[in-house]
């Protein structure tokens, strides 16, 4: 079956799905969210303006990058299975899906919206051509970009990017690029010679924002060339790994975790784990204050709202206040599910790795209720049998 991928070239989460479809050889057409069909047929089905949305020729609608990938993986006929079969690789890949799509939002937003002298002309043209109707006049186009720009700049602050934190955001991102670049010296993808869900998580910010927008693209090209090549590789149907000797599409043998990958995991422990702790604490307090919250509800006045509130936490010497959105804990929950399904030996291997890299708390940071997705929205499941987690 053929598919329409509704989104924009500059969309972080559309980029994740596009890369997956390309790598799996799934036939699809890129469709612009500005098209009339998106507004007339897709938005009413999904219930809000959001991308990406995948529309099948038979009318099937799947919204959300993680859910789209799992839709195809459930069919079992993908070219490169996104989910590793071995315990450590499976959990590592899931950690990078979470960190890529959610933990790299500060540099992604900073390098897009705080370099107007370099970026603005490109971003404005890109947004207008993606979001404005083809026949829109200049005033309409300017209004669309102005609205999108203002909204995204507000979101940037909501992720903790401020005048005070910008130097640290830049230093943190430079450290990440150096670590990922060093890791890619030994393999074309995160876990070997084939892409996994961790690669698709990372490509979301590292392509749409950080490899397309002029300022961060220049930075990546000049300071982390292997990462730049990886962003190209992730958007090509073939392996595009000639510089590695065109290896077979396999993961590291025996569930191996190279030291360069452990270094990246330690980076996540320092850079992102404090935010996860704060999120889980906020949400468990929020749930405790609503003991009668009905299962299947978001608990918010507007069901389509994604923001539950704000939480403050320490990050690299700063006190950051950031928006709380349950979606990222939906991804965190997938790490828990992998661990819970593993056998005793697998759980021991996962625990030892996460203790070694400072990420052991990821296994115990759990919300008092499961987060589910129904009708393209995040909602709360019933209370867990025990809150002693």
């Amino acid at each position: 079956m053929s598919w329409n991928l509704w989104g924009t070239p500059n969309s972080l989460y559309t980029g994740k799905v596009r890369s997956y479809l390309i790598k799996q050889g799934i036939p699809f057409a890129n469709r612009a969210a500005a098209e009339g069909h998106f507004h007339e047929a897709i938005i009413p089905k999904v219930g809000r303006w959001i991308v990406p949305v995948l529309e099948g020729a038979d009318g099937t609608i799947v919204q959300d990058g993680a859910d789209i990938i799992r839709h195809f993986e459930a069919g079992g006929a993908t070219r490169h299975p996104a989910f590793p079969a071995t315990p450590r690789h499976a959990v590592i890949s899931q950690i990078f899906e979470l960190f890529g799509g959610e933990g790299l939002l500060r540099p992604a937003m900073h390098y897009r919206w705080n370099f107007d002298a370099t970026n603005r002309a490109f971003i404005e043209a890109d947004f207008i051509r993606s979001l404005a109707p083809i026949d829109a006049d200049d005033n309409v186009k300017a209004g669309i970009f102005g609205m999108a720009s203002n909204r995204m700049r507000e979101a940037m602050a909501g992720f903790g990017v401020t005048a005070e934190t910008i130097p640290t955001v830049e230093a943190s991102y430079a450290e990440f690029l150096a670590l990922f670049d060093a890791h890619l010296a030994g393999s074309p993808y995160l876990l070997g010679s084939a892409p996994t869900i961790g690669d698709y998580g990372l490509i979301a910010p590292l392509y749409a924002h950080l490899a397309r927008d002029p300022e961060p693209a220049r930075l990546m090209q000049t300071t982390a060339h292997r990462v730049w090549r990886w962003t190209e590789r992730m958007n090509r149907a073939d392996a595009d790994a000639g510089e590695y000797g065109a290896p077979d599409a396999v993961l590291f043998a025996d569930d191996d975790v190279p030291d360069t990958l452990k270094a990246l995991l330690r980076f996540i422990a320092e850079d992102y784990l404090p935010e996860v702790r704060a999120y889980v604490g906020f949400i468990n307090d929020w749930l405790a204050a609503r003991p009668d919250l009905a299962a299947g509800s978001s608990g918010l006045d507007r069901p389509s709202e994604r923001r539950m509130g704000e939480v403050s936490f320490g990050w690299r010497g700063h006190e950051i206040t950031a928006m709380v959105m349950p979606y990222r804990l939906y991804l965190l929950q997938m790490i828990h599910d992998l661990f819970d399904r593993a056998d005793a030996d697998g759980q021991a291997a996962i625990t030892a790795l996460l203790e070694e890299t400072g990420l052991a708390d990821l296994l115990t940071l759990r919300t008092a209720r499961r987060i589910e997705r129904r009708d393209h929205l995040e909602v709360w499941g019933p209370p867990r049998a025990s809150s002693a987690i």
Side-chain angles (χ1 to χ4, degrees), residues 279 282 286 300 306-311 322-325:
Y279 260 59
F282 175 96
W286 187 92
L300 301 174
R306 307 193 82 187
R307 175 175 173 169
M308 296 179 62
E310 294 182 339
V311 68
M323 297 181 290
V324 176
M325 295 179 291

Side-chain angles (χ1 to χ4, degrees), residues 122-153:
F122 172 81
I123 294 172
E124 185 170 5
D126 212 37
F127 269 63
I128 286 171
R129 288 167 184 162
S130 300
L131 299 175
I134 295 173
D135 57 354
D137 62 30
D138 289 345
N139 287 334
V140 170
K141 291 177 180 178
I144 287 173
F145 177 70
M147 180 178 64
S149 174
N150 290 339
R151 181 183 176 196
M152 290 298 102
R153 290 174 195 270

Side-chain angles (χ1 to χ4, degrees), residues 39 128 205 220 259:
H39 290 268
I128 286 171
M220 187 185 292
D259 288 342

Side-chain angles (χ1 to χ4, degrees), residues 51-72:
V51 293
V53 179
L54 202 64
E55 177 193 29
D58 64 354
T60 298
I61 295 288
V62 190
Q63 191 281 310
D64 176 62
D67 288 0
I68 290 169
I69 290 173
R70 283 158 179 79
H71 170 84
F72 288 105

Side-chain angles (χ1 to χ4, degrees), residues 103-322:
L104 285 173
L105 288 177
R106 273 185 283 279
M109 298 296 278
H110 166 59
Y111 280 104
R112 169 164 287 180
W113 296 108
N114 284 329
F115 291 87
D116 280 354
T118 309
N119 287 345
R120 184 181 172 100
F122 172 81
I123 294 172
E124 185 170 5
D126 212 37
F127 269 63
I128 286 171
R129 288 167 184 162
S130 300
L131 299 175
I134 295 173
D135 57 354
D137 62 30
D138 289 345
N139 287 334
V140 170
K141 291 177 180 178
I144 287 173
F145 177 70
M147 180 178 64
S149 174
N150 290 339
R151 181 183 176 196
M152 290 298 102
R153 290 174 195 270
E154 289 176 5
M156 175 176 64
F159 293 128
V161 181
T162 66
E164 292 73 25
T165 63
I166 281 173
T168 310
V169 170
E170 293 183 350
S172 169
Y173 179 56
E175 182 182 350
F176 169 78
L177 281 181
L179 290 169
F180 193 27
D181 197 71
H183 177 63
L184 292 172
S187 64
Y189 299 99
L190 186 68
L191 288 172
S193 301
T196 65
I197 193 65
D199 293 277
Y200 299 122
L202 288 173
I203 197 62
L206 289 174
Y207 175 68
H209 286 60
L210 296 165
R212 286 187 80 247
D213 294 351
E215 179 66 24
R218 178 202 58 78
L219 178 65
M220 187 185 292
Q221 289 168 340
T222 56
T223 68
H225 183 263
R226 294 187 190 95
V227 180
W228 168 258
R229 278 287 296 124
W230 172 86
T231 67
E232 291 187 319
R233 187 175 304 121
M234 286 294 292
N235 283 283
R236 292 178 177 166
D238 67 325
D240 190 18
E243 62 262 53
Y244 296 89
D248 293 336
V250 295
L251 304 185
F252 299 130
D254 302 321
D255 210 18
D256 185 45
V257 183
D259 288 342
T260 52
L261 188 50
K262 291 178 181 178
L264 279 165
L265 291 169
R266 292 188 185 97
F267 173 86
I268 294 174
E270 179 181 4
D271 203 74
Y272 190 51
L273 190 56
E275 190 164 352
V276 176
R277 288 194 188 102
Y279 260 59
V280 173
F282 175 96
I283 285 182
N284 279 336
D285 288 345
W286 187 92
L287 289 170
R290 295 161 177 80
D292 298 324
L293 180 66
S297 167
S298 70
L300 301 174
D301 292 338
R302 293 172 54 230
S304 62
E305 178 63 56
R306 307 193 82 187
R307 175 175 173 169
M308 296 179 62
E310 294 182 339
V311 68
S312 297
F313 56 94
W315 178 76
R316 293 182 177 266
H318 298 279
E319 185 74 9
I320 281 184
T321 299

Side-chain angles (χ1 to χ4, degrees), residues 7-67:
T8 68
N10 46 56
S11 159
L12 186 150
Y13 298 107
T14 304
K16 173 182 179 178
V17 174
R18 187 188 303 110
S19 172
Y20 176 82
L21 297 175
I22 291 169
K23 281 299 185 188
Q24 303 300 347
I26 296 168
F28 76 100
N30 285 296
R31 300 293 295 273
E35 293 183 44
H37 179 77
F38 183 78
H39 290 268
E40 295 160 9
I42 304 299
I43 292 176
K45 291 180 181 178
V46 174
R48 55 181 166 170
W49 195 107
I50 191 169
V51 293
V53 179
L54 202 64
E55 177 193 29
D58 64 354
T60 298
I61 295 288
V62 190
Q63 191 281 310
D64 176 62
D67 288 0

